[in-house]
Amino acid sequence: AVEVMVEGTTTYASYGSTSVSLDGLASGKKIMIANTDRVSGFYVDIGSTPNATGTTITSLKYWDGSAMQSVGTISDGTSGLSNSGWITFLQKPAEPLQFQSSQYYAYWYELILDTTLSADVVAAFFTMPYFDIEKFGKGLCNATWKDRAIYAFTIYSNYIYVSANGNPSILNGDDYGILKAGDGRTNKVVAMRSFHNELMVFQEDTGSEGGSITNFAGYSPTTFGKLIISSSIGTFSNKTVDVVDGVMTSTETEENVKTLCFFLSRYGVCATDGLSISIISDDINNYFDPTESECIRRGYESKMWLEYDSAFNVIRVGLVSGSSATLPNVFPVFDLTDKVWYFDVLAQELSCITEIEADSGNIPVLQVGGGTDDGTVYLLNTGANDVSTGIDSFITMELNARGEYLLLQEVMMQMEAQNHGDVSVEFTKNSIQAGSKSLPMTPELPLQTIRRHRFQLNIEDQNISIKIKNDGIGEDMQLLSLGVKTSLYKER
């Protein structure tokens, strides 16, 4: 906390947050706690002289801009300041206040106890700040780099947010950083890739000046620096970039193996080694020539894709070609071995493809594509016709509190309603089965578009997994939201 003020007979006594005298504080007197951010809890370190009068918290309030309001239900881990612990509550829309004689605005919280405290109580107050992730806007793309999570959002979309080391959800503190891509233009960041020891960042290829490609290097937010590879070439989306290891590159005397990043731009299919950019699509340049009728269609750049196919060592591309197409309809293929362009003629045109690890069988890597016509997910390298094979689609959510035991009390789910099909929810405690549920996706009433489920649980462990899956042929699991109610299991 920034400061703590304790109400006396006529005035308030002001303390630093780490040594606050509560010696014999009378019941009903206020403890005012200031913080630079809104909070959802306080940790109170009582020290060597805890309160021994059986006190409970009468009220905990926040300033809402016009009056002090109750935070509602609280969880008091201090048992009325009789031991050290957390006092937590649901976050509230607090507003800053210039309280009493303070010369600054801060978020103030008012704590009142029902009984006079015992003598010689000295406490330290620490805060649990909370931040609304929607202040960043919606997510554009993300990556992992140097054991950190890297994010780009729709608000200030040319900035990159670097999490603390090993903590993907920590976007504050000394180990957190903000990087600015490109040369200052506000083109949004649409793709990021770990490239050698660097982070390669692509800004959207749009506007008269085009996009940008930036390499970041360093070991911590204070040492990160950048190199701009291009101030005129960018890419379209996160689907139009892929890094390929071990590409054979021709020279006059020999073939060298190196790592290259391939991507789509308005100028064609490009490749970069992190220092310079080469356009490799001269043989199919008509698809990037705005004077040709088959040129890629403006406004549909986000529908196009580029992906490396490890089975055939080729780069596959999906282009939206012509003045009327709205989905990829031309599929060039670049052979990395003989450096020649071909064209695929697909029975089912694809909106995207990716490679995933196989769970079983002789093929270690499976290629999966999304069909543009029917929304079906296709297996591309396991036979001639996989339309009738059900795909086990699932999401696994891991709950962990750094080794503390958790109590999972409640789950609420919302999913897109459809005419048939169920979603299976499986719970495990540290990999040991802890029960399952089958939840119908059919609407409860005709014409409803969302199906909601809410149920109680009593599962406790240091690591709890929630697996949500569907494997029905012709069924589509559209999970809209998932809420869980958890708390620390204090008996462990």
Side-chain angles (χ1 to χ4, degrees), residues 413-419 439-454:
M413 295 173 53
Q414 287 182 299
M415 61 193 74
E416 185 177 291
Q418 50 185 296
N419 294 330
L439 307 175
M441 296 188 288
T442 52
E444 293 182 283
L445 297 174
L447 303 180
Q448 286 185 335
T449 58
I450 297 175
R451 181 62 193 264
R452 174 183 179 270
H453 294 279
R454 183 176 182 178

Side-chain angles (χ1 to χ4, degrees), residues 205 236-237 240 296-305:
D205 204 356
F236 298 148
S237 73
T240 57
I296 57 174
R297 189 176 181 190
R298 180 187 177 190
Y300 293 84
E301 291 87 354
S302 64
K303 303 295 183 181
M304 302 184 220
W305 54 268

